[in-house]
Amino acid sequence: MPTDDQKKRYFVSAAHGVIQNIRNESNEFEIHLNDEELTILQDLLTSLESDDDYTFRRAFVPFKSADHDDAAQEFDDQTIALYSYLYEHGSNDTTQMIKSLNVLTKLENTAYQDKGYGRDTP
């Protein structure tokens, strides 16, 4: 019987918010976690799903700019946290896939400092 410190293999679909013991076509990432780390991952996925729902509802507010919306920023932060966690606990294939997606760099570098994002622009 495994102890709490022993890592178990899981397959995660970040797009669907699913963690499974068996790989299928929707599982993008293989990771290795102990029970405590699994709970953290479940919390990250739940938080991301909640932020996604809130961001979706905010998208229909016509006077609120999406590029500086707190809801969108929170969703980006949670996405970065999830992919960082998957990267940290992932198999070699998982870490290589996340590197090749370049998703962490893209999410961390939003280009808000570039011309056109100032207060005096439409």
Side-chain angles (χ1 to χ4, degrees):
M1 180 131 180
T3 66
D4 271 353
D5 291 337
Q6 286 185 305
K7 306 260 182 184
K8 300 172 196 162
R9 182 171 58 172
Y10 298 96
F11 300 95
V12 179
S13 171
H16 297 103
V18 175
I19 305 167
Q20 295 181 318
N21 295 323
I22 300 169
R23 183 184 295 277
N24 66 40
E25 64 264 359
S26 70
N27 301 132
E28 301 106 348
F29 306 109
E30 177 185 336
I31 58 172
H32 301 94
L33 305 172
N34 63 31
D35 290 342
E36 182 180 334
E37 293 164 338
L38 177 61
T39 300
I40 292 169
L41 176 60
Q42 290 166 330
D43 290 345
L44 283 169
L45 288 170
T46 300
S47 180
L48 186 62
E49 180 181 1
S50 175
D51 288 341
D52 188 29
D53 289 343
Y54 181 64
T55 303
F56 177 75
R57 288 193 307 274
R58 292 291 300 245
F60 298 103
V61 178
F63 56 85
K64 184 71 173 174
S65 173
D67 60 348
H68 284 1
D69 187 356
D70 291 342
Q73 183 60 50
E74 183 65 26
F75 180 76
D76 288 350
D77 292 346
Q78 291 296 327
T79 302
I80 291 168
L82 173 62
Y83 276 90
S84 295
Y85 200 78
L86 294 172
Y87 183 86
E88 180 182 342
H89 297 284
S91 66
N92 288 336
D93 288 343
T94 293
T95 57
Q96 290 304 313
M97 184 184 305
I98 291 173
K99 279 183 186 178
S100 72
L101 292 173
N102 202 22
V103 67
L104 295 176
T105 303
K106 287 179 184 176
L107 290 170
E108 290 172 350
N109 298 314
T110 60
Y112 286 156
Q113 73 281 358
D114 292 347
K115 192 174 184 174
Y117 282 102
R119 290 179 174 256
D120 56 343
T121 59

